[in-house]
Amino acid sequence: MAVFVALGAFLMTLAGGWVAQRVTDRRHLVLGLAGGLMLGVVGLDLLPEALEAAGTPVFGVPAALLLFVGGFLVAHLVERLLAARQVAHGADGQRVPQVGLAAAAAMVGHSLMDGIALGAAFQISGSMGVAVALAVISHDFADGFNTYTLTSLYGNARRKALLMLFAAAVAPVVGAATTLLFTLPEELLGGYLGFFGGALLYLAAAEILPEAHHTHPARSTLLCTVGGVGFIWLVVGIAE
């Protein structure tokens, strides 16, 4: 059942990527929406789940929050190192394609964990599986949208963006299938969600949203960002 439901996530991910590549003439709106979706996923979905699963305090701070901050700092460090390397090779002022690929790879990893979480939920009960399935299928549209946008934003060829999109679409199916073989510890899943959430927030706040409002600082861009957050809020509310 989990694998069958994951096929729905596969289709929704592809649909999100298809929408992202079809609106290139409204790039500022795409980036504004992508930033809002990423912010909503982090603040309203990933972080609450991480705190619930891995909220054990470490020196007074929940482990999930420590990993969240760690993910933010690691994303910042990786980008700075790659940018410095690019400057050393005479490409100052240009976006680093490897950053986009690394971000897209993180989205693929997140989609894989979505599938694992889906399978684990069905292992617990059918009702929990349905609730998680609704959340996964709904926000995988945003995952596909963001995967394609992140890859192409940093100057990668369309072929690479489509390849990463397909990998993100297949990942939930693979993740759900692996749960037939093992059970994932809840704290490990929570820790991963916290770390990934921090990295995703860095990309949204430091890269996607500034780019969207710098190239076209229109009210419509801001509305797209708010709309992206609102969409994720709706998805989370329905899932609950």
Side-chain angles (χ1 to χ4, degrees), residues 184-208:
L184 185 70
E186 186 179 15
E187 285 198 4
L188 180 61
L189 176 61
Y192 169 80
L193 292 177
F195 184 85
F196 174 71
L200 201 61
L201 180 63
Y202 175 81
L203 292 172
E207 298 293 331
I208 303 298

PDB file of all heavy atoms in Angstrom, residues 184-208:
ATOM      1  N   LEU A 184      12.799   2.349  10.534  1.00  0.00           N
ATOM      2  CA  LEU A 184      13.673   3.483  10.827  1.00  0.00           C
ATOM      3  C   LEU A 184      13.400   4.018  12.230  1.00  0.00           C
ATOM      4  O   LEU A 184      12.249   4.303  12.570  1.00  0.00           O
ATOM      5  CB  LEU A 184      13.438   4.601   9.806  1.00  0.00           C
ATOM      6  CG  LEU A 184      14.354   5.818   9.912  1.00  0.00           C
ATOM      7  CD1 LEU A 184      15.766   5.454   9.486  1.00  0.00           C
ATOM      8  CD2 LEU A 184      13.824   6.965   9.059  1.00  0.00           C
ATOM      9  N   PRO A 185      14.446   4.173  13.071  1.00  0.00           N
ATOM     10  CA  PRO A 185      14.254   4.755  14.407  1.00  0.00           C
ATOM     11  C   PRO A 185      13.698   6.175  14.308  1.00  0.00           C
ATOM     12  O   PRO A 185      14.138   6.974  13.473  1.00  0.00           O
ATOM     13  CB  PRO A 185      15.664   4.757  15.002  1.00  0.00           C
ATOM     14  CG  PRO A 185      16.407   3.720  14.233  1.00  0.00           C
ATOM     15  CD  PRO A 185      15.836   3.753  12.844  1.00  0.00           C
ATOM     16  N   GLU A 186      12.744   6.502  15.161  1.00  0.00           N
ATOM     17  CA  GLU A 186      12.082   7.792  15.101  1.00  0.00           C
ATOM     18  C   GLU A 186      13.042   8.949  15.340  1.00  0.00           C
ATOM     19  O   GLU A 186      12.961   9.985  14.683  1.00  0.00           O
ATOM     20  CB  GLU A 186      10.939   7.834  16.123  1.00  0.00           C
ATOM     21  CG  GLU A 186      10.096   9.094  16.045  1.00  0.00           C
ATOM     22  CD  GLU A 186       8.962   9.098  17.047  1.00  0.00           C
ATOM     23  OE1 GLU A 186       8.993   8.264  17.977  1.00  0.00           O
ATOM     24  OE2 GLU A 186       8.062   9.927  16.911  1.00  0.00           O
ATOM     25  N   GLU A 187      13.966   8.789  16.291  1.00  0.00           N
ATOM     26  CA  GLU A 187      14.890   9.885  16.590  1.00  0.00           C
ATOM     27  C   GLU A 187      15.821  10.188  15.419  1.00  0.00           C
ATOM     28  O   GLU A 187      16.175  11.339  15.169  1.00  0.00           O
ATOM     29  CB  GLU A 187      15.708   9.557  17.842  1.00  0.00           C
ATOM     30  CG  GLU A 187      14.914   9.701  19.129  1.00  0.00           C
ATOM     31  CD  GLU A 187      15.817   9.799  20.343  1.00  0.00           C
ATOM     32  OE1 GLU A 187      17.053   9.840  20.165  1.00  0.00           O
ATOM     33  OE2 GLU A 187      15.294   9.856  21.459  1.00  0.00           O
ATOM     34  N   LEU A 188      16.225   9.140  14.686  1.00  0.00           N
ATOM     35  CA  LEU A 188      17.086   9.349  13.523  1.00  0.00           C
ATOM     36  C   LEU A 188      16.350  10.142  12.447  1.00  0.00           C
ATOM     37  O   LEU A 188      16.905  11.056  11.840  1.00  0.00           O
ATOM     38  CB  LEU A 188      17.545   7.996  12.970  1.00  0.00           C
ATOM     39  CG  LEU A 188      18.466   8.042  11.748  1.00  0.00           C
ATOM     40  CD1 LEU A 188      19.745   8.780  12.084  1.00  0.00           C
ATOM     41  CD2 LEU A 188      18.774   6.628  11.260  1.00  0.00           C
ATOM     42  N   LEU A 189      15.103   9.790  12.224  1.00  0.00           N
ATOM     43  CA  LEU A 189      14.289  10.518  11.248  1.00  0.00           C
ATOM     44  C   LEU A 189      14.118  11.977  11.673  1.00  0.00           C
ATOM     45  O   LEU A 189      14.256  12.891  10.860  1.00  0.00           O
ATOM     46  CB  LEU A 189      12.918   9.844  11.111  1.00  0.00           C
ATOM     47  CG  LEU A 189      11.903  10.544  10.202  1.00  0.00           C
ATOM     48  CD1 LEU A 189      12.436  10.638   8.777  1.00  0.00           C
ATOM     49  CD2 LEU A 189      10.575   9.810  10.227  1.00  0.00           C
ATOM     50  N   GLY A 190      13.844  12.207  12.955  1.00  0.00           N
ATOM     51  CA  GLY A 190      13.677  13.569  13.444  1.00  0.00           C
ATOM     52  C   GLY A 190      14.937  14.397  13.308  1.00  0.00           C
ATOM     53  O   GLY A 190      14.890  15.571  12.943  1.00  0.00           O
ATOM     54  N   GLY A 191      16.076  13.790  13.592  1.00  0.00           N
ATOM     55  CA  GLY A 191      17.343  14.501  13.455  1.00  0.00           C
ATOM     56  C   GLY A 191      17.619  14.900  12.021  1.00  0.00           C
ATOM     57  O   GLY A 191      18.068  16.018  11.738  1.00  0.00           O
ATOM     58  N   TYR A 192      17.326  13.997  11.119  1.00  0.00           N
ATOM     59  CA  TYR A 192      17.522  14.309   9.702  1.00  0.00           C
ATOM     60  C   TYR A 192      16.622  15.468   9.267  1.00  0.00           C
ATOM     61  O   TYR A 192      17.058  16.383   8.560  1.00  0.00           O
ATOM     62  CB  TYR A 192      17.238  13.087   8.834  1.00  0.00           C
ATOM     63  CG  TYR A 192      17.164  13.433   7.358  1.00  0.00           C
ATOM     64  CD1 TYR A 192      18.322  13.607   6.614  1.00  0.00           C
ATOM     65  CD2 TYR A 192      15.931  13.633   6.743  1.00  0.00           C
ATOM     66  CE1 TYR A 192      18.265  13.965   5.286  1.00  0.00           C
ATOM     67  CE2 TYR A 192      15.857  13.986   5.410  1.00  0.00           C
ATOM     68  CZ  TYR A 192      17.033  14.148   4.678  1.00  0.00           C
ATOM     69  OH  TYR A 192      16.953  14.507   3.362  1.00  0.00           O
ATOM     70  N   LEU A 193      15.366  15.426   9.677  1.00  0.00           N
ATOM     71  CA  LEU A 193      14.429  16.482   9.297  1.00  0.00           C
ATOM     72  C   LEU A 193      14.889  17.842   9.819  1.00  0.00           C
ATOM     73  O   LEU A 193      14.775  18.857   9.130  1.00  0.00           O
ATOM     74  CB  LEU A 193      13.033  16.161   9.819  1.00  0.00           C
ATOM     75  CG  LEU A 193      12.322  14.969   9.172  1.00  0.00           C
ATOM     76  CD1 LEU A 193      10.974  14.727   9.846  1.00  0.00           C
ATOM     77  CD2 LEU A 193      12.140  15.170   7.684  1.00  0.00           C
ATOM     78  N   GLY A 194      15.414  17.879  11.052  1.00  0.00           N
ATOM     79  CA  GLY A 194      15.917  19.125  11.606  1.00  0.00           C
ATOM     80  C   GLY A 194      17.104  19.661  10.820  1.00  0.00           C
ATOM     81  O   GLY A 194      17.158  20.851  10.476  1.00  0.00           O
ATOM     82  N   PHE A 195      18.052  18.799  10.508  1.00  0.00           N
ATOM     83  CA  PHE A 195      19.251  19.208   9.760  1.00  0.00           C
ATOM     84  C   PHE A 195      18.885  19.700   8.366  1.00  0.00           C
ATOM     85  O   PHE A 195      19.336  20.755   7.918  1.00  0.00           O
ATOM     86  CB  PHE A 195      20.222  18.036   9.665  1.00  0.00           C
ATOM     87  CG  PHE A 195      21.526  18.377   9.007  1.00  0.00           C
ATOM     88  CD1 PHE A 195      22.561  18.927   9.744  1.00  0.00           C
ATOM     89  CD2 PHE A 195      21.719  18.144   7.650  1.00  0.00           C
ATOM     90  CE1 PHE A 195      23.772  19.251   9.135  1.00  0.00           C
ATOM     91  CE2 PHE A 195      22.908  18.474   7.037  1.00  0.00           C
ATOM     92  CZ  PHE A 195      23.945  19.027   7.785  1.00  0.00           C
ATOM     93  N   PHE A 196      18.040  18.943   7.680  1.00  0.00           N
ATOM     94  CA  PHE A 196      17.632  19.329   6.336  1.00  0.00           C
ATOM     95  C   PHE A 196      16.842  20.636   6.357  1.00  0.00           C
ATOM     96  O   PHE A 196      16.989  21.477   5.465  1.00  0.00           O
ATOM     97  CB  PHE A 196      16.805  18.226   5.702  1.00  0.00           C
ATOM     98  CG  PHE A 196      16.226  18.599   4.367  1.00  0.00           C
ATOM     99  CD1 PHE A 196      17.033  18.722   3.261  1.00  0.00           C
ATOM    100  CD2 PHE A 196      14.872  18.837   4.237  1.00  0.00           C
ATOM    101  CE1 PHE A 196      16.516  19.079   2.031  1.00  0.00           C
ATOM    102  CE2 PHE A 196      14.336  19.193   3.014  1.00  0.00           C
ATOM    103  CZ  PHE A 196      15.160  19.318   1.902  1.00  0.00           C
ATOM    104  N   GLY A 197      16.012  20.821   7.380  1.00  0.00           N
ATOM    105  CA  GLY A 197      15.243  22.048   7.496  1.00  0.00           C
ATOM    106  C   GLY A 197      16.130  23.272   7.609  1.00  0.00           C
ATOM    107  O   GLY A 197      15.863  24.318   7.010  1.00  0.00           O
ATOM    108  N   GLY A 198      17.215  23.170   8.375  1.00  0.00           N
ATOM    109  CA  GLY A 198      18.146  24.286   8.503  1.00  0.00           C
ATOM    110  C   GLY A 198      18.814  24.634   7.186  1.00  0.00           C
ATOM    111  O   GLY A 198      18.950  25.812   6.833  1.00  0.00           O
ATOM    112  N   ALA A 199      19.224  23.602   6.438  1.00  0.00           N
ATOM    113  CA  ALA A 199      19.854  23.831   5.138  1.00  0.00           C
ATOM    114  C   ALA A 199      18.868  24.459   4.157  1.00  0.00           C
ATOM    115  O   ALA A 199      19.209  25.381   3.403  1.00  0.00           O
ATOM    116  CB  ALA A 199      20.393  22.518   4.584  1.00  0.00           C
ATOM    117  N   LEU A 200      17.639  23.992   4.190  1.00  0.00           N
ATOM    118  CA  LEU A 200      16.628  24.509   3.283  1.00  0.00           C
ATOM    119  C   LEU A 200      16.284  25.956   3.611  1.00  0.00           C
ATOM    120  O   LEU A 200      16.086  26.787   2.710  1.00  0.00           O
ATOM    121  CB  LEU A 200      15.370  23.633   3.367  1.00  0.00           C
ATOM    122  CG  LEU A 200      14.403  23.691   2.180  1.00  0.00           C
ATOM    123  CD1 LEU A 200      15.083  23.229   0.905  1.00  0.00           C
ATOM    124  CD2 LEU A 200      13.182  22.842   2.464  1.00  0.00           C
ATOM    125  N   LEU A 201      16.234  26.281   4.896  1.00  0.00           N
ATOM    126  CA  LEU A 201      15.945  27.660   5.298  1.00  0.00           C
ATOM    127  C   LEU A 201      17.043  28.604   4.823  1.00  0.00           C
ATOM    128  O   LEU A 201      16.767  29.727   4.382  1.00  0.00           O
ATOM    129  CB  LEU A 201      15.799  27.753   6.821  1.00  0.00           C
ATOM    130  CG  LEU A 201      15.499  29.155   7.362  1.00  0.00           C
ATOM    131  CD1 LEU A 201      14.159  29.655   6.834  1.00  0.00           C
ATOM    132  CD2 LEU A 201      15.507  29.161   8.885  1.00  0.00           C
ATOM    133  N   TYR A 202      18.289  28.154   4.903  1.00  0.00           N
ATOM    134  CA  TYR A 202      19.393  29.002   4.421  1.00  0.00           C
ATOM    135  C   TYR A 202      19.219  29.311   2.941  1.00  0.00           C
ATOM    136  O   TYR A 202      19.359  30.466   2.509  1.00  0.00           O
ATOM    137  CB  TYR A 202      20.742  28.319   4.651  1.00  0.00           C
ATOM    138  CG  TYR A 202      21.877  29.116   4.060  1.00  0.00           C
ATOM    139  CD1 TYR A 202      22.407  30.202   4.748  1.00  0.00           C
ATOM    140  CD2 TYR A 202      22.383  28.818   2.801  1.00  0.00           C
ATOM    141  CE1 TYR A 202      23.427  30.969   4.207  1.00  0.00           C
ATOM    142  CE2 TYR A 202      23.392  29.580   2.239  1.00  0.00           C
ATOM    143  CZ  TYR A 202      23.909  30.646   2.943  1.00  0.00           C
ATOM    144  OH  TYR A 202      24.908  31.417   2.381  1.00  0.00           O
ATOM    145  N   LEU A 203      18.909  28.306   2.150  1.00  0.00           N
ATOM    146  CA  LEU A 203      18.756  28.514   0.711  1.00  0.00           C
ATOM    147  C   LEU A 203      17.596  29.461   0.411  1.00  0.00           C
ATOM    148  O   LEU A 203      17.685  30.308  -0.475  1.00  0.00           O
ATOM    149  CB  LEU A 203      18.540  27.170   0.003  1.00  0.00           C
ATOM    150  CG  LEU A 203      19.751  26.234   0.012  1.00  0.00           C
ATOM    151  CD1 LEU A 203      19.352  24.877  -0.531  1.00  0.00           C
ATOM    152  CD2 LEU A 203      20.874  26.817  -0.826  1.00  0.00           C
ATOM    153  N   ALA A 204      16.504  29.315   1.168  1.00  0.00           N
ATOM    154  CA  ALA A 204      15.344  30.174   0.935  1.00  0.00           C
ATOM    155  C   ALA A 204      15.644  31.617   1.324  1.00  0.00           C
ATOM    156  O   ALA A 204      15.347  32.555   0.574  1.00  0.00           O
ATOM    157  CB  ALA A 204      14.143  29.648   1.720  1.00  0.00           C
ATOM    158  N   ALA A 205      16.238  31.815   2.510  1.00  0.00           N
ATOM    159  CA  ALA A 205      16.438  33.160   3.052  1.00  0.00           C
ATOM    160  C   ALA A 205      17.635  33.885   2.445  1.00  0.00           C
ATOM    161  O   ALA A 205      17.602  35.109   2.265  1.00  0.00           O
ATOM    162  CB  ALA A 205      16.603  33.081   4.573  1.00  0.00           C
ATOM    163  N   ALA A 206      18.689  33.143   2.132  1.00  0.00           N
ATOM    164  CA  ALA A 206      19.917  33.787   1.670  1.00  0.00           C
ATOM    165  C   ALA A 206      20.066  33.802   0.156  1.00  0.00           C
ATOM    166  O   ALA A 206      20.857  34.599  -0.375  1.00  0.00           O
ATOM    167  CB  ALA A 206      21.135  33.080   2.286  1.00  0.00           C
ATOM    168  N   GLU A 207      19.328  32.946  -0.546  1.00  0.00           N
ATOM    169  CA  GLU A 207      19.515  32.841  -1.986  1.00  0.00           C
ATOM    170  C   GLU A 207      18.231  33.085  -2.782  1.00  0.00           C
ATOM    171  O   GLU A 207      18.161  33.985  -3.610  1.00  0.00           O
ATOM    172  CB  GLU A 207      20.077  31.452  -2.333  1.00  0.00           C
ATOM    173  CG  GLU A 207      21.434  31.174  -1.722  1.00  0.00           C
ATOM    174  CD  GLU A 207      22.526  32.064  -2.314  1.00  0.00           C
ATOM    175  OE1 GLU A 207      22.399  32.463  -3.481  1.00  0.00           O
ATOM    176  OE2 GLU A 207      23.486  32.366  -1.594  1.00  0.00           O
ATOM    177  N   ILE A 208      17.212  32.271  -2.534  1.00  0.00           N
ATOM    178  CA  ILE A 208      16.019  32.301  -3.380  1.00  0.00           C
ATOM    179  C   ILE A 208      15.257  33.624  -3.252  1.00  0.00           C
ATOM    180  O   ILE A 208      14.991  34.307  -4.243  1.00  0.00           O
ATOM    181  CB  ILE A 208      15.083  31.131  -3.040  1.00  0.00           C
ATOM    182  CG1 ILE A 208      15.826  29.796  -3.178  1.00  0.00           C
ATOM    183  CG2 ILE A 208      13.855  31.159  -3.944  1.00  0.00           C
ATOM    184  CD1 ILE A 208      16.319  29.500  -4.561  1.00  0.00           C
TER     185      ILE A 208
END
